Amino acid sequence: MQEQKSARKYNSHKRKKISEKIKKLSSKSDLVEIFKIVTRDIGENYSENKSGIYFNLNLVSDDAI
């Protein structure tokens, strides 16, 4: 028997738009809250350097988005 994959509520196009909106945020407290939500969902699957913190939005669950 094959397992059926459920369709994601937020496809790659919608996630790209969300990413663009996040990039426009300037409030540090909003960005910190987003980071907390993301790390709660994907754990430590992100990169960090002097330019910032980077994560793959495709790994984030629909519930977290």
Side-chain angles (χ1 to χ4, degrees):
M1 242 190 211
Q2 286 183 331
E3 269 187 53
Q4 290 182 347
K5 287 187 176 182
S6 60
R8 294 189 320 178
K9 182 177 179 181
Y10 299 100
N11 61 22
S12 294
H13 180 70
K14 289 181 182 178
R15 290 170 188 254
K16 177 81 170 170
K17 286 187 174 252
I18 291 169
S19 174
E20 291 168 2
K21 289 181 180 183
I22 291 172
K23 289 177 186 177
K24 291 179 182 177
L25 290 175
S26 59
S27 170
K28 185 175 179 178
S29 62
D30 289 342
L31 294 171
V32 169
E33 286 302 314
I34 290 170
F35 180 70
K36 287 179 184 177
I37 293 168
V38 168
T39 55
R40 216 176 310 144
D41 192 54
I42 65 172
E44 301 209 6
N45 196 359
Y46 62 90
S47 299
E48 182 178 2
N49 64 24
K50 65 180 180 178
S51 298
I53 297 172
Y54 303 93
F55 57 91
N56 185 345
L57 200 54
N58 284 319
L59 298 177
V60 180
S61 69
D62 285 341
D63 291 336
I65 290 178

